[in-house]
Amino acid sequence: MNEISQASELAGFFPFWDKLSQPMKEQLIRHVSVRKYPAKTAIYQGRQNCLGLLLIRSGQIRAYIMTEEGRELTLYRLFSGDICLFSASCVFNSIQFDIFLTAEQDTEVLHIPPDIYRECIEQSAPAALYTNELMASGFSEVMWVLEQVLSKKMDARLAAFLIEESALEETDDLTLTHEQIANHLGSAREVMTRMLKYFQSEGLVRLTRGHVELTDVPGLTRLAKDSLR
Amino acid sequence: MNEISQASELAGFFPFWDKLSQPMKEQLIRHVSVRKYPAKTAIYQGRQNCLGLLLIRSGQIRAYIMTEEGRELTLYRLFSGDICLFSASCVFNSIQFDIFLTAEQDTEVLHIPPDIYRECIEQSAPAALYTNELMASGFSEVMWVLEQVLSKKMDARLAAFLIEESALEETDDLTLTHEQIANHLGSAREVMTRMLKYFQSEGLVRLTRGHVELTDVPGLTRLAKDSLR
C-alpha cells in the first residue's frame, strides 16, 4: 500500500483528516498497518491488552460483555467503514469496564497504535471532537441494550434478534443453538428454549437441532416492533 | 461575582482552563451564570430541552433513565466539583438516548450554554479531550449498572444501595418507601418488599412506614461486597 492510497483511505475513515497537520498525517501513515482476523477469532479481551484504534475495511466485529455468570451480552456490531474505539480504551483514563471484541466474519482492519492515536487527539480538536461522537455512539448503543434488558420484553427482543441475524447472514435458516441465542441476549438457555418453542407453536419459526428457521418473517417483524424505538 | 473569581472557579472545574485562548476564556466568563435547583426538582428531562453544561457548586444531582413501564433506574450521582455533561447532550449528534436529571438536595450550579460549550471544544483539543474523559466516566457508570442489572444479585444490590444512601444522607434511618427503592434499582415494588422483609428477618434492617433503618451495617456491607467490583 503506497502513501497516497493510505492517505485517501484514512481520509475516508476520518472526517477530520484534512484538518490534521502535515506531520500528524505523516505519522499516522507511517504507523498504520493491516491486520486480518479469521472468522470467530477473539480480537480484544478487555483492558489488559491495549490494542489501538481499528478501522474496519471488511468483515464484522461483535462487541460484547461477559456477566459474572460467564454469559455474553452483545452490545453492538461494527461493519466495513466503522471505527472501533474501545479496542483503544486504554487511551482514556476514565474507561473502567471491559469490552470483548470478536471477528464474526473474516475481518480486515487498519490498525493505529494507541500512543499514536492519543497524540492525534491531543493535538487536534477536530480529531478529539470526532472521538467524542464515536464514544457517544457506543454509549447510545449500550443505553439501548440496557433499556432492552430492563424492559424484559423478551419475546420482542428474541424476534428482533432473529430478524437481525437473518438479515446479516442473508438466510432464513439460522445456524444457532439456544445457548448461543441466550448468550446474545444475556438470558438463560432454558428461557430461550421456552420462548422458541412458543414461537414454533405460533408458526413463527421451525426448530431443528442447532438450527432456527424463520417461517413467518412478517409476524416476527410485528413482534419485534414492540422492542424497537 | 467578579471576573477574577469566576475565572478561578472555572479553572477549578476545567483542568484545561490554562490552555484555552484568552478570547475563549472571556467568552466563557461572559456567558456563565448561577442556577439554583431546590431539592427534588427536575433539572433535565431528556434531549427535548437542551440545557447546557452544569458545573456543580453544591448539592447533589441524580441521573436516571425511565423504562417503558415508567420505572426509574439510577445511573449515577453527581456532587460538588463534578461536571454534568449529559444536560448538554444536544452538543453531540450521536447521543441517541434520554437521561433524566433531578436535584436530590438543594443544588447550585454554574451553567454554560450549549453553543458556547460547543465552540469551546471545537477550538480547544484539551477541552475536547477532557470531554472524552467525562463521557467515558459516564459510560463506565452505565456499564456498571448494566452489569448489576444482568447479574441479578438483587440482595447484594439492595444492600449496596442502602449503605450508599446511608453514607450520603449521613443517617442509619432512611426515609424511603419500597416504591422509591424499587425505582432506584430498576425493580418492582413487590420484589423490594419481599427482599426488605427478608433483610428484616435477618436482623439487617428494621422497617416502619416510609422508613428503612439500618440495624446491621457490617452485615449489609458483607452482603453488598458480592455486588461490587
Side-chain angles (χ1 to χ4, degrees):
Chain A
M1 197 161 67
N2 64 43
E3 286 205 4
I4 294 168
S5 76
Q6 268 178 327
S8 78
E9 195 176 355
L10 287 172
F13 279 105
F14 295 146
F16 53 82
W17 181 256
D18 289 340
K19 293 179 188 154
L20 293 177
S21 69
Q22 195 54 36
M24 193 67 240
K25 285 183 186 171
E26 282 164 16
Q27 198 173 7
L28 284 167
I29 290 169
R30 206 157 51 238
H31 288 92
V32 71
S33 63
V34 177
R35 292 194 179 191
K36 292 176 188 189
Y37 299 98
K40 304 294 166 196
T41 52
I43 295 176
Y44 185 69
Q45 291 168 299
R47 286 164 293 163
Q48 66 272 31
N49 56 344
C50 190
L51 186 59
L53 202 69
L54 303 180
L55 317 178
I56 303 164
R57 283 180 136 181
S58 63
Q60 188 195 131
I61 292 176
R62 183 169 71 95
Y64 61 97
I65 54 170
M66 297 282 277
T67 67
E68 282 174 33
E69 296 89 7
R71 286 182 292 136
E72 296 175 6
L73 180 72
T74 299
L75 298 178
Y76 53 86
R77 290 160 194 270
L78 297 165
F79 303 92
S80 170
D82 287 341
I83 297 178
C84 184
L85 181 65
F86 290 99
S87 47
S89 61
C90 60
V91 166
F92 307 98
N93 302 318
S94 311
I95 293 189
Q96 299 294 330
F97 55 89
D98 287 313
I99 278 186
F100 295 76
L101 301 168
T102 297
E104 287 290 291
Q105 300 170 3
D106 291 344
T107 298
E108 194 174 297
V109 303
L110 292 182
H111 170 261
I112 294 171
D115 51 328
I116 303 295
Y117 177 59
R118 173 82 196 178
E119 227 181 295
C120 178
I121 59 177
E122 273 176 358
Q123 285 181 17
S124 159
L129 207 56
Y130 188 68
T131 301
N132 271 310
E133 293 291 348
L134 288 176
M135 201 179 296
S137 170
F139 202 151
S140 298
E141 299 274 8
V142 168
M143 289 298 287
W144 190 80
V145 169
L146 178 59
E147 281 166 21
Q148 294 300 303
V149 169
L150 286 172
S151 79
K152 295 198 189 82
K153 291 186 173 173
M154 192 54 87
D155 53 346
R157 289 178 60 209
L158 176 58
F161 172 74
L162 293 174
I163 288 165
E164 201 189 321
E165 278 296 308
S166 164
L168 288 172
E169 303 292 334
E170 296 179 351
T171 172
D172 283 348
D173 187 11
L174 301 171
T175 309
L176 277 172
T177 65
H178 300 185
E179 183 78 42
Q180 286 170 320
I181 296 173
N183 281 342
H184 277 283
L185 296 172
S187 181
R189 191 193 51 72
E190 311 84 75
V191 176
M192 283 306 105
T193 298
R194 200 163 52 217
M195 193 69 80
L196 285 164
K197 284 187 176 158
Y198 167 76
F199 277 20
Q200 182 166 255
S201 71
E202 296 283 304
L204 297 167
V205 301
R206 183 156 44 229
L207 305 173
T208 49
R209 192 168 185 82
H211 284 260
V212 179
E213 190 188 340
L214 278 54
T215 49
D216 179 5
V217 173
L220 285 167
T221 307
R222 266 194 306 278
L223 194 55
K225 286 245 170 68
D226 289 338
S227 86
L228 299 172
R229 283 188 295 193
Chain B
M1 197 162 66
N2 65 41
E3 286 205 7
I4 294 168
S5 75
Q6 268 178 327
S8 78
E9 194 175 357
L10 288 173
F13 279 104
F14 295 145
F16 53 83
W17 181 255
D18 288 341
K19 292 179 188 153
L20 293 177
S21 70
Q22 194 55 36
M24 193 67 240
K25 285 183 184 171
E26 283 164 16
Q27 198 173 9
L28 284 166
I29 289 169
R30 206 157 50 237
H31 287 94
V32 71
S33 62
V34 177
R35 292 193 180 193
K36 294 177 186 186
Y37 299 98
K40 304 295 166 195
T41 52
I43 295 176
Y44 185 67
Q45 290 167 299
R47 286 164 293 163
Q48 67 272 29
N49 56 344
C50 191
L51 187 61
L53 202 69
L54 304 180
L55 317 178
I56 303 164
R57 285 180 134 181
S58 63
Q60 188 195 132
I61 293 177
R62 182 169 71 95
Y64 61 97
I65 54 170
M66 297 282 277
T67 67
E68 282 172 34
E69 297 89 8
R71 287 182 292 136
E72 296 175 5
L73 179 73
T74 300
L75 297 178
Y76 52 85
R77 290 161 194 270
L78 298 165
F79 303 92
S80 169
D82 287 341
I83 296 177
C84 184
L85 180 64
F86 290 100
S87 47
S89 60
C90 60
V91 166
F92 307 98
N93 302 318
S94 310
I95 293 189
Q96 299 295 330
F97 54 88
D98 287 313
I99 277 186
F100 295 76
L101 301 168
T102 297
E104 287 290 292
Q105 300 168 3
D106 292 342
T107 298
E108 194 174 295
V109 303
L110 292 181
H111 169 261
I112 293 171
D115 50 328
I116 303 297
Y117 177 57
R118 173 82 196 180
E119 227 181 295
C120 178
I121 58 177
E122 274 175 359
Q123 284 181 18
S124 159
L129 207 57
Y130 188 68
T131 301
N132 271 309
E133 293 291 350
L134 288 176
M135 203 180 295
S137 169
F139 203 151
S140 298
E141 300 273 9
V142 168
M143 290 298 288
W144 190 80
V145 168
L146 178 58
E147 282 167 20
Q148 295 300 304
V149 169
L150 286 172
S151 79
K152 295 196 188 86
K153 291 187 173 173
M154 193 53 88
D155 54 345
R157 288 179 61 209
L158 176 58
F161 172 75
L162 293 174
I163 289 165
E164 200 189 323
E165 277 297 308
S166 164
L168 287 171
E169 303 291 334
E170 296 179 350
T171 172
D172 283 348
D173 188 12
L174 301 171
T175 309
L176 277 172
T177 66
H178 300 187
E179 183 78 41
Q180 286 170 320
I181 296 172
N183 281 341
H184 277 283
L185 296 173
S187 180
R189 191 192 52 73
E190 311 84 76
V191 176
M192 284 306 104
T193 298
R194 199 162 54 217
M195 193 70 80
L196 285 164
K197 282 187 178 159
Y198 166 76
F199 277 20
Q200 183 166 253
S201 71
E202 296 284 303
L204 297 167
V205 301
R206 183 157 42 230
L207 304 173
T208 49
R209 192 169 186 81
H211 284 260
V212 180
E213 192 189 340
L214 277 54
T215 48
D216 179 5
V217 173
L220 285 167
T221 307
R222 265 193 307 279
L223 193 54
K225 285 244 170 70
D226 288 337
S227 85
L228 299 172
R229 285 187 297 192

